Amino acid sequence: MIQTLEQLRDLYAAPGERARRKQLSRIDAHARRFIALSPFCVLASGGVNGRLLDASPRGGEAGFVKVLDEHTLLLPDSGGNNRLDTLENLIADPRLSLIFLVPGVEETLRINGRARLRDEPEFVDRFAQERQRPRLVIELLASEVYLHCAKAFMRSRLWEPAGWPARGALPTMNQMISDQMGLAAPTETQEAMRARYLAQLAQERSPEKE
């Protein structure tokens, strides 16, 4: 069992100069472009009240996360299941890490920093023309910015359709959750679930939601 830094480092070579120097303290032009092309990111935040750490997916149109300046980005909060795991975590611990993905691009972008939850009009109004005006915006003050190499995506072949399993390899979401909760509810088909979600997303675009 590895229990010390010394034991850990004995297993690996020292990081190369490129790996050490690629970390920036600001959002440069390349990172800004990467974010502008990204429709999806994963947020990692600290747990509260003894809860384990949390990772949460977020998505939108490409560029749904806005770069305010070289140290600040804004992430709108979209409607979800109202568990608010990430938002509750940030109230107690403002540390936040994001990994941005761009479809078809095997590199990823990581940004670490400290977050604040902003509900002032000057923040939420920036997203008034988006799919849905958010109740609040996560403001991230970036302190570490760096690109990850393509090896993880090359190993996983994530963007290669030939390596994708058939959707039927998994039960439907409704079936999995019903089984986990011990429910005997009728099983919603994958097609019916998508139609329901698409209807909800269409409502987010409606003028009444703005």
Side-chain angles (χ1 to χ4, degrees):
M1 179 183 296
I2 304 301
Q3 296 181 301
T4 69
L5 291 176
E6 290 75 14
Q7 290 174 312
L8 176 63
R9 275 299 170 192
D10 282 344
L11 293 177
Y12 297 90
E17 181 180 9
R18 174 172 166 149
R20 292 193 304 268
R21 295 184 58 187
K22 72 176 182 177
Q23 179 175 310
L24 305 177
S25 60
R26 59 185 178 85
I27 303 170
D28 72 341
H30 298 298
R32 184 185 289 261
R33 181 60 176 159
F34 202 104
I35 294 168
L37 293 173
S38 174
F40 184 85
C41 63
V42 177
L43 283 64
S45 59
V48 297
N49 298 325
R51 191 171 68 207
L52 297 177
L53 303 180
D54 184 76
S56 177
R58 301 295 171 96
E61 299 292 336
F64 76 104
V65 176
K66 299 184 184 300
V67 178
L68 191 60
D69 56 47
E70 65 179 9
H71 295 291
T72 313
L73 56 79
L74 304 177
L75 171 65
D77 184 61
S78 301
N81 57 20
N82 290 326
R83 283 178 55 107
L84 306 185
D85 292 331
T86 298
L87 302 181
E88 288 185 0
N89 287 346
L90 294 177
I91 292 291
D93 182 347
R95 293 176 299 169
L96 183 65
S97 181
L98 280 70
I99 290 186
F100 289 92
L101 284 73
V102 175
V105 174
E106 293 178 323
E107 290 76 21
T108 55
L109 174 70
R110 179 186 294 188
I111 298 185
N112 301 329
R114 301 178 75 84
R116 297 185 292 193
L117 306 183
R118 310 302 299 257
D119 64 349
E120 302 95 317
E122 58 263 35
F123 287 90
V124 296
D125 286 350
R126 289 177 178 271
F127 299 89
Q129 302 304 315
E130 304 294 329
R131 175 186 294 274
Q132 184 181 37
R133 188 178 187 273
R135 291 184 174 89
L136 61 82
V137 173
I138 299 174
E139 177 193 38
L140 180 66
L141 306 177
S143 56
E144 298 177 349
V145 178
Y146 55 95
L147 292 161
H148 284 282
C149 75
K151 291 178 183 177
F153 276 76
M154 293 172 68
R155 293 187 186 107
S156 67
R157 300 172 61 202
L158 187 64
W159 301 132
E160 298 179 30
W164 296 351
R167 179 59 186 87
L170 280 174
T172 65
M173 179 74 159
N174 180 269
Q175 183 64 63
M176 289 188 285
I177 291 179
S178 294
D179 289 347
Q180 290 170 345
M181 297 178 65
L183 302 177
T187 301
E188 181 183 43
T189 67
Q190 189 71 15
E191 292 75 15
M193 182 205 70
R194 283 185 56 82
R196 177 166 56 85
Y197 284 169
L198 287 171
Q200 292 173 355
L201 293 173
Q203 287 183 342
E204 290 182 0
R205 294 180 182 273
S206 67
E208 290 79 9
K209 293 291 183 179
E210 296 181 358

